[in-house]
Amino acid sequence: MTIKKIQNSIPQLVVQLFILIFTALLEVIAMNMFLNPNHIFTGGFNGISQLLSIASKHLFGFQINTGIFILLTSIVIGFFGWKMVGSRFTILSTANSVLTSLFIVYFPVINIAKSVLLASLFSGVLMGLATGLSMRFGLSTGGMDIIAMIVQKKTGRSVGVISNTINASIVLIAGIFIGWPNALYTLIGIFATGQVIDAIYTGQRKLTTLIVTEKADLLTKALQDELVRGITILPSTGAFSHHESSTLFMVINRVELYEMENIVREIDPHAFIDILSTVSVSGLWLDPDRQADIKKGKVKIDAGNSN
């Protein structure tokens, strides 16, 4: 890594660490002030941890804090994520989960919502805000996103079915053992979380980027070196300025969005970037394994529009 890249990566890392701490605080507020006091559950592995916490009281006679179970699951998932996927994304996402678990253990549980409906809505908004901000800055709140990377690596398929199965199981178990009203409030919270995530950050796993630039050669090389994605270069002309430029057409996944934007801003601060949701992609799509092999020089990008 060059000195310039190191200097540019330092402020990015500082921003990501700030977002990591801030989103962890949002999660603990949602958990300790809205969800846990009202026996409402969130989705994913945090919801599983809540169920395990309640189950521990019936099994052992005392309740183990939800944060302990989040800590255990985050360490296990982070370990397998690092072994199978690696990357700074996995490290920071696991750090987010670990920090959240510690906050939940040491922050007091205070029921500030007198209405269960309000608790489900506000907790959903806070969890969605935490997840959306994390994704927007190249992080995640851990759990399902790391599992998604492992599943993508091993099978090339989406983790959506797994995520929906986990959330449905949480709602079903909550309904059977806690009560169906709590299960329905849990559904409301999960729905609110999804809506906030979509408002902050696209819910699509793949994105189409159109980058209008006058530094096509430099930008193409940098993007291909760092992201290892195929790029189509289209000639373009500004309607107002009539200046000749190029439009780079590239499909990326949502984890790569933050890095892509930083690369573009570093090389061409005046470039115009348009992000489009991509419903589906056919043809050659480079998975994390193939990207890593290309970076190491083991294989080359195939001819054609490879992404």
Side-chain angles (χ1 to χ4, degrees), residues 2 25 41 72 83 104 148 187 193-194 239 250 259 273 304:
T2 64
L25 287 171
F41 305 90
L72 294 175
K83 284 289 185 181
I104 290 174
L187 273 177
T193 296
M250 178 173 59
E259 186 175 2
I273 305 174

Side-chain angles (χ1 to χ4, degrees), residues 38-51:
N38 293 284
H39 299 296
I40 306 171
F41 305 90
T42 185
F45 285 93
N46 284 357
I48 293 176
S49 298
Q50 288 180 279
L51 290 174

Side-chain angles (χ1 to χ4, degrees), residues 236-267:
S236 54
T237 304
F240 290 105
S241 64
H242 299 290
H243 288 165
E244 299 293 331
S245 62
S246 298
T247 299
L248 308 184
F249 173 90
M250 178 173 59
V251 179
I252 60 176
N253 62 48
R254 61 178 174 80
V255 176
E256 296 166 331
L257 176 59
Y258 182 69
E259 186 175 2
M260 181 276 295
E261 290 179 326
N262 283 322
I263 292 171
V264 174
R265 294 307 176 204
E266 176 186 341
I267 294 176

Side-chain angles (χ1 to χ4, degrees), residues 4-265:
K4 184 177 181 180
K5 285 186 177 180
I6 294 174
Q7 290 174 338
N8 288 331
S9 66
I10 290 176
Q12 295 173 21
L13 181 60
V14 170
V15 171
Q16 287 181 316
L17 290 175
F18 172 79
I19 294 297
L20 186 152
I21 296 172
F22 180 66
T23 54
L25 287 171
L26 290 178
E27 286 189 81
V28 73
I29 292 173
M31 296 288 284
N32 280 12
M33 296 185 179
F34 294 101
L35 292 170
N36 290 335
N38 293 284
H39 299 296
I40 306 171
F41 305 90
T42 185
F45 285 93
N46 284 357
I48 293 176
S49 298
Q50 288 180 279
L51 290 174
L52 291 173
S53 176
I54 291 178
S56 67
K57 185 175 182 179
H58 298 282
L59 292 174
F60 307 118
F62 61 93
Q63 187 167 351
I64 300 174
N65 192 287
T66 301
I68 300 297
F69 288 107
I70 294 177
L71 178 63
L72 294 175
T73 56
S74 63
I75 291 175
V76 173
I77 293 172
F79 173 78
F80 284 104
W82 172 252
K83 284 289 185 181
M84 297 182 182
V85 181
S87 81
R88 188 170 73 174
F89 171 82
T90 302
I91 296 173
L92 292 177
S93 299
T94 303
N96 181 283
S97 295
V98 171
L99 188 61
T100 299
S101 67
L102 295 176
F103 282 168
I104 290 174
V105 170
Y106 291 106
F107 275 45
V109 177
I110 304 173
N111 188 358
I112 65 174
K114 303 302 180 182
S115 165
V116 183
L117 177 60
L118 288 178
S120 64
L121 287 173
F122 274 96
S123 64
V125 170
L126 289 172
M127 295 298 286
L129 185 60
T131 304
L133 284 174
S134 295
M135 291 162 56
R136 182 66 182 81
F137 287 90
L139 306 171
S140 85
T141 51
M144 286 309 305
D145 281 326
I146 297 177
I147 294 295
M149 296 179 71
I150 296 175
V151 171
Q152 172 67 29
K153 172 185 172 69
K154 292 298 182 181
T155 68
R157 296 181 179 180
S158 170
V159 77
V161 174
I162 299 175
S163 177
N164 292 336
T165 301
I166 289 176
N167 290 342
S169 300
I170 291 171
V171 172
L172 183 62
I173 294 172
I176 294 174
F177 294 100
I178 309 300
W180 291 109
N182 296 74
L184 295 177
Y185 287 126
T186 296
L187 273 177
I188 292 174
I190 292 175
F191 177 78
T193 296
Q195 293 300 303
V196 174
I197 292 174
D198 286 342
I200 297 175
Y201 192 86
T202 177
Q204 300 293 331
R205 194 157 297 277
K206 294 181 179 65
L207 307 170
T208 296
T209 62
L210 297 173
I211 307 168
V212 182
T213 177
E214 295 182 0
K215 299 180 179 179
D217 292 339
L218 289 174
L219 195 51
T220 299
K221 185 178 186 308
L223 289 170
Q224 287 182 327
D225 288 345
E226 297 299 324
L227 299 183
V228 191
R229 289 293 178 200
I231 300 173
T232 300
I233 304 176
L234 306 172
S236 54
T237 304
F240 290 105
S241 64
H242 299 290
H243 288 165
E244 299 293 331
S245 62
S246 298
T247 299
L248 308 184
F249 173 90
M250 178 173 59
V251 179
I252 60 176
N253 62 48
R254 61 178 174 80
V255 176
E256 296 166 331
L257 176 59
Y258 182 69
E259 186 175 2
M260 181 276 295
E261 290 179 326
N262 283 322
I263 292 171
V264 174
R265 294 307 176 204

